[in-house]
């Protein structure tokens, strides 16, 4: 049947209640040129079999990440996810469960959320973690809003090494809240003087490590300067596996740590869903967004789990709410927790070591290609290469040869004058043959 629940009278009553003349007025905040002038040119409705055929032909044009040598990263990484993870999360009791609105009868959900929080706190070196965010980018924006609440200031400084998409999300939310954002220029070599941007008006400094160009950052002096001026340090990561090798942000005195957890348990899936990780110092716990699960005992002394803090307006008074996060990415969290449990501390460390070793092999090999220069002095499993030709052009040429070589910086920062830079990632899934094919093909293209 058709899904047309509203009559014309219903619509007129709704518009009158809103105080607008027509539906178009509801979109007045959308900038000019962003709305379609006419409906999309799409074919008429077709039968299910016809749709399958059409979409099948369209999908056949894609090159799947696992079908060719794959070196794409820049915020989304291809890692091996054990079959155990998918097998377990597809059990009906996990697959159909949602957020724990009735905690007393959602003990299983609360327990794995509690275990997830414990893992995230341990990974980041922080005291408390929440039950996840949507993803790393929106989590970063929430971290900035949290810092504003803590410091009672409204100005954020963003490093030039922060992923451009994360920067854009922070800027979008800040614009709607009339908050000030100082985004430093793209910092390919990690040489920016971010300390100079910190003064008594700053609420927080947002620094990514490893940054979008692959550089490892020393967060300690930034934290020291920020704290001297009453500001907070927000440490960001897009590659959570790096925490198996690098000094965790908590050990570098970060106040809030936020990042993307997709690399553990969650395979690449056409852009998502992802899972945002969020941790902080315990003294800021009441300003954290999302949910926090806690452990307790019941009246009979048996171990139990509760929602210790719920910060959205559905649960508490609107003026006390710190966030309107409506989900906890529960299934992605469970996948993360299962994979992390399978790895254990030793397994994560070994995985990180393999990632770094593979990246070093590739960087050394690419450095020997005429017309290619590796720019990083330090990196984890991702680095930036300067090419003798536009990186987008090179990436397309390599794709035609069956190699997905990386992300041209021009895709992330169009018009920034960085068109000759290519961001390359090398994880545990890449073999020596993959790297050799990449190097040989790049030499031909350049």
């Amino acid at each position: 049947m058709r899904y047309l629940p509203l009559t014309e009278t219903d619509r007129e009553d709704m518009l009158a209640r809103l105080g607008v003349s027509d539906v178009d007025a509801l979109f007045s905040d959308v900038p000019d040129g962003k709305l379609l002038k006419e409906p999309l040119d799409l074919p008429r409705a077709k039968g299910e079999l016809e749709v399958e055929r059409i979409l099948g032909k369209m999908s056949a044009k894609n090159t799947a990440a696992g079908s060719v040598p794959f070196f794409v990263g820049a915020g989304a990484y291809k890692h091996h996810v054990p079959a155990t993870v998918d097998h377990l999360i597809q059990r009906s009791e996990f697959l159909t469960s949602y957020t724990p609105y009735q905690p007393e009868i959602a003990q299983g959900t609360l327990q794995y959320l509690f275990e997830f929080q414990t893992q995230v706190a341990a990974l980041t070196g922080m005291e408390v973690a929440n039950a996840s965010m949507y993803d790393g980018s929106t989590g970063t924006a929430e971290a900035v809003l949290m810092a504003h609440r803590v410091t009672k200031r409204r100005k954020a400084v963003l490093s030039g090494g922060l992923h451009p998409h994360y920067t854009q999300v922070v800027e979008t939310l800040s614009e709607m809240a009339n908050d000030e954002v100082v985004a430093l220029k793209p910092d390919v070599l990690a040489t920016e003087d971010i300390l100079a941007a910190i003064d008594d008006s700053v609420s927080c400094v947002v620094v990514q490590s490893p940054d979008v160009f692959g550089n490892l950052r020393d967060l300690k002096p930034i934290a020291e300067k920020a704290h001297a001026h009453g500001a907070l340090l927000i440490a960001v990561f897009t590659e959570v596996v790096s925490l198996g090798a690098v000094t965790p942000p908590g050990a570098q005195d970060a106040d809030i740590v936020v990042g993307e957890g997709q690399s553990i348990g969650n395979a690449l899936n056409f852009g998502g869903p992802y899972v945002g990780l969020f941790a902080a110092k315990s003294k800021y716990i009441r300003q954290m967004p999302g949910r926090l699960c806690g452990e307790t005992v019941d009246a009979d002394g048996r171990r139990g789990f509760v929602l210790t803090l719920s910060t959205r307006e559905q649960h508490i008074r609107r003026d006390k709410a710190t966030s309107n996060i409506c989900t906890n990415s529960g299934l992605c969290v469970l996948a993360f927790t299962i994979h992390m449990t399978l790895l254990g501390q030793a397994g994560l460390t070994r995985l990180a070591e393999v990632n770094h070793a593979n990246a070093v092999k590739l960087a050394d090999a690419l450095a020997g290609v005429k017309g290619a220069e590796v720019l990083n002095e330090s990196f984890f499993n991702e680095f930036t290469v300067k090419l003798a030709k536009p990186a987008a052009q090179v990436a397309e040429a390599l794709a035609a040869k069956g190699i997905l070589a990386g992300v041209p910086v021009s895709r992330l920062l169009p018009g920034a004058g960085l068109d000759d830079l290519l961001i390359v990632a090398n994880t545990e899934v890449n073999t020596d043959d993959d790297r050799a094919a990449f190097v040989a093909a790049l030499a031909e293209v350049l």
Side-chain angles (χ1 to χ4, degrees):
M1 67 179 181
R2 295 184 303 164
Y3 184 72
L4 296 172
L6 300 179
T7 65
E8 194 60 38
T9 300
D10 292 332
R11 294 187 180 91
E12 290 176 356
D13 290 344
M14 293 169 69
L15 292 172
R17 182 65 178 268
L18 292 171
V20 296
S21 58
D22 53 38
V23 173
D24 291 339
L26 299 176
F27 301 94
S28 60
D29 289 334
V30 179
D32 292 338
K34 299 299 182 181
L35 289 174
L36 297 175
K37 301 298 182 184
E38 55 187 28
L40 290 170
D41 182 18
L42 294 174
R44 302 293 296 173
K46 297 182 181 297
E48 183 175 334
L49 181 58
E50 292 174 298
V51 171
E52 287 179 354
R53 287 170 178 163
I54 293 171
L55 294 181
K57 290 180 180 179
M58 293 174 63
S59 65
K61 297 178 181 179
N62 290 325
T63 300
S67 64
V68 297
F70 185 85
F71 301 93
V72 179
Y77 303 91
K78 180 172 175 53
H79 290 280
H80 172 68
V81 178
T84 307
V85 175
D86 283 342
H87 176 75
L88 290 176
I89 68 173
Q90 290 181 49
R91 290 179 59 94
S92 60
E93 60 264 50
F94 291 137
L95 196 60
T96 60
S97 64
Y98 185 52
T99 195
Y101 287 116
Q102 294 177 283
E104 66 279 4
I105 60 172
Q107 287 297 293
T109 298
L110 289 175
Q111 180 170 355
Y112 78 68
L113 291 176
F114 179 82
E115 300 293 349
F116 167 80
Q117 292 173 179
T118 304
Q119 291 173 342
V120 173
L123 280 169
T124 58
M126 301 300 287
E127 296 168 331
V128 292
N130 71 10
S132 89
M133 312 294 286
Y134 291 129
D135 55 30
S137 62
T138 52
T140 300
E142 288 280 355
V144 170
L145 296 179
M146 174 179 164
H148 292 342
R149 293 192 295 271
V150 171
T151 64
K152 310 300 182 186
R153 302 174 185 174
R154 316 297 300 182
K155 179 180 178 181
V157 174
L158 311 185
S159 165
L162 181 64
H163 195 296
H165 294 171
Y166 286 43
T167 297
Q168 291 167 13
V169 173
V170 172
E171 290 176 335
T172 297
L173 265 66
S174 297
E175 180 180 358
M176 300 304 294
N178 293 319
D179 296 333
E180 183 179 357
V181 174
V182 177
L184 303 184
K185 295 180 180 180
D187 184 26
V188 178
L189 302 177
T191 58
E192 66 185 0
D193 185 6
I194 196 169
L195 299 182
I198 304 174
D199 57 31
D200 291 341
S201 67
V202 172
S203 159
C204 58
V205 185
V206 184
V207 184
Q208 179 178 328
S209 181
D211 67 22
V212 69
F213 301 105
N215 304 295
L216 296 173
R217 301 288 189 111
D218 183 0
L219 302 179
K220 291 182 180 179
I222 304 174
E224 183 178 351
K225 178 71 180 289
H227 296 158
H229 288 273
L232 304 185
L233 170 62
I234 299 174
V236 177
F237 56 86
T238 60
E239 173 54 292
V240 63
V241 176
S242 67
L243 297 179
V246 304
T247 302
Q252 300 185 65
D253 207 17
D255 298 286
I256 304 172
V257 180
V258 62
E260 179 54 60
Q262 170 269 321
S263 290
I264 296 180
N266 293 274
L268 296 172
N269 290 297
F270 299 97
Y274 288 169
V275 52
L277 311 184
F278 197 111
K281 293 180 176 178
S282 58
K283 63 182 177 181
Y284 303 129
I285 191 170
R286 290 194 172 274
Q287 294 300 330
M288 289 179 68
R291 302 177 181 87
L292 288 89
C293 297
E295 183 180 9
T296 186
V297 293
D298 65 12
D300 297 322
R302 295 174 301 185
R303 185 189 190 200
F305 298 91
V306 294
L307 271 182
T308 302
L309 289 176
S310 296
T311 64
R312 58 185 290 214
E313 59 191 33
Q314 179 175 331
H315 294 103
I316 60 179
R317 293 207 312 268
R318 178 172 295 180
D319 61 334
K320 297 293 185 180
T322 60
S323 172
N324 196 34
I325 295 295
C326 294
T327 185
N328 59 354
S329 298
L331 203 61
C332 298
V333 163
L334 179 59
F336 180 101
T337 303
I338 294 171
H339 192 180
M340 194 66 244
T341 302
L342 291 170
L343 285 170
Q345 182 176 352
L348 178 66
T349 300
R350 177 58 181 156
L351 176 62
E353 290 173 348
V354 172
N355 271 250
H356 180 59
N358 282 354
V360 170
K361 289 180 183 178
L362 180 60
D364 289 343
L366 291 177
V369 176
K370 184 178 180 180
E373 177 189 1
V374 177
L375 300 180
N376 303 65
E377 290 188 4
S378 64
F379 57 85
F380 171 59
N381 68 357
E382 193 167 26
F383 51 86
T384 300
V385 182
K386 184 176 182 179
L387 303 174
K389 296 180 179 179
Q393 175 184 327
V394 172
E396 289 295 331
L398 291 174
K401 292 179 175 292
I403 296 170
L404 299 180
V407 178
V409 173
S410 58
R411 290 191 59 183
L412 302 176
L413 293 164
L418 303 173
D419 294 0
D420 57 349
L421 301 184
L422 183 71
I423 300 173
V424 177
N426 193 174
T427 69
E428 77 281 1
V429 302
N430 300 112
T431 65
D432 288 338
D433 289 342
D434 292 337
R435 285 183 284 274
F438 182 8
V439 172
L442 181 62
E444 292 179 13
V445 171
L446 292 179

